[in-house]
Amino acid sequence: VAGRAAAAPWQVMQRIDHPDAKAGNAQALHDLENGAIGLTLVFAGANGAHGYGLDPSAEAVEQVLNGIYLDAGIGIELQIGPQSRMAAIHVAEYIKRKGIDPAACDIRFGLDPLGAGAVWGSSPYSWNEIVPAVTSAIKGLAAMGFKSPFAAADGRVIHDAGGSEVQELAFVLACGVAYLRAIEQAGISLEDAQGMVYARLAADADQFLTLAKFRALRLLWARVEQACGLTPKPLFVAADTAWRMLTQRDAYVNMLRATMATFSAGLGGANAITVLPHTLALGLPDPFARRVARNTQLVLLEESNLAKVSDPAAGAGGIETLTKQLCEAAWSLFQEIEKAGGIFAALEQNLLQKKVSATRAAREANIAKRRDVLTGASEFPNLHEAEIAVLDATPIVLPPYGEAKYKFDPLPPMRLAEPFEAMRDKSDEKLKASGARPKIFLANLGTPADFTARATFAKSFFETGGIEALDTQGFADTAALAAAFKASGAAIACLCSSDKVYAEHAGPAAKALQAAGAKHIYLAGRPGEQEAALRNAGVGDFIFAGGDALATLQEAWRRME
């Protein structure tokens, strides 16, 4: 699959999103001095701003770009929203004012009203009103001499909202075709319009799907070009590591997720990659987090030599098959969007939103049942992890952008770990207020050989919800068990042992715990044929792999409150 030039590295992009323009400029210069060869300027109000972003004013743009040699091969990508759309014009005017040749600059302007409307679920203008404004900006920038792409078809909109790879690809195709049509209507030939549109995809830690997705997009876009009567040219594809996979808890694991995502996007032929720093879900990243984001790419390029082979997945049966399946499914959905009247009409009809919502619900169910594991958040928690430093910055508040005359279902960004993190946050607040977290008493029965496996499972299970598990030695005597429970200060308990021990001792132990004041009693493991007897003895719920951990934990909180 034709992508980057043979053995050419992708652009190592570094995210610049500090609300203070002077601080953003210092970050940009430091990044360029230390291995980055491009800058992703994220302005307030952009889809990927996540609460922060650069000031889009002309003065701030000039401050951010001060001292940067824009005609020295540095890649610049703008991420802007409707409220910060003038930032693109301010960048162009700055270049003109400085006497820099626009043709010598590598700037992707990132105009994307469709993406913004999809996220917001509204637009002050119809598509017929949006087209002249977009094409006027594109024609103006082209007339100034800029050669790089102007309009972005941004698949992150779908990925961040919990959608599938197929839905993301179809959205990118539909937006790209909408922009091509708009540019052609403005009197620009399709041959010239070809280079005016580029794509942006999210890369996540599912290495095979990510790799195949990037390959599939190139084949799909070539099919669009052929349908337009054009000779296919490689589409410029930018990648951002995924927002939805980031966790606030055990945030260092985000480094591993970002490494997998970068690896996959790089091998899939991405032209430019921006790594979201591992602390971004907590706030504005500090210099260490930014350094790690930058060096993640440098190590993969300079030490692992990932760019030395073009399309290394070519000929691999599994990847080729997955690429083909993504192409066929995405093309089918793209045709469905076109039959609805194009992407703006499809959004108005909530065609795509319904599909994304169903996919998101299925994804959330898998997270809740821990079939899809988020290390540090939904599995293997650490209640005693240290706080991670982020910068103290005040986000820029932009004025509202017009009246929402055209309304449809929004596609807001989400993070998969949020429901588990909400319970951990509540636990931290309780610890801060009272000096103790909510606790569950692990009532281990028998010998360590009997209870260790299920006690370990139960400890991880409850602590993902911020409920501290009090581990114990094995009990054979119900009186000692009841006394230990009373002394623990816990309100709830969980029986842990083997099925053999449960058959004989779980019933009496549950009755003893109930008599000792346990508000609710859990049992680690599937109940099997003993369920009725165990429930009669006082066991309220059973925890096991594949059960709805999130619902059980949320109910545990309600019981303790």
Side-chain angles (χ1 to χ4, degrees), residues 263-297:
F263 171 90
S264 306
L267 294 191
N271 297 96
I273 301 177
T274 304
V275 173
L276 303 189
H278 67 280
T279 61
L280 186 60
L282 291 165
L284 204 60
D286 68 357
F288 172 72
R290 296 179 60 81
R291 178 185 175 196
V292 171
R294 187 175 64 240
N295 286 354
T296 298
Q297 300 195 58

Side-chain angles (χ1 to χ4, degrees), residues 15 17 48-50 156 159-160 202-205 240-262 274-285 289 292-293 296 367 373-378 390 413-421:
R15 180 184 171 94
D17 56 354
H50 303 304
R156 297 176 311 160
H159 197 276
D160 289 355
D204 66 21
D240 271 26
T241 57
W243 167 253
R244 80 180 184 204
M245 72 179 178
L246 293 183
T247 61
Q248 292 180 340
R249 301 294 174 162
D250 209 352
Y252 296 110
V253 180
N254 291 330
M255 296 181 189
L256 304 181
R257 298 184 181 106
T259 301
M260 292 300 295
T262 305
T274 304
V275 173
L276 303 189
H278 67 280
T279 61
L280 186 60
L282 291 165
L284 204 60
V292 171
T296 298
I367 293 291
V373 172
L374 292 167
T375 302
S378 68
V390 291
M414 51 88 81
R415 285 185 305 102
L416 295 168
E418 285 176 313
F420 285 94
E421 290 170 351

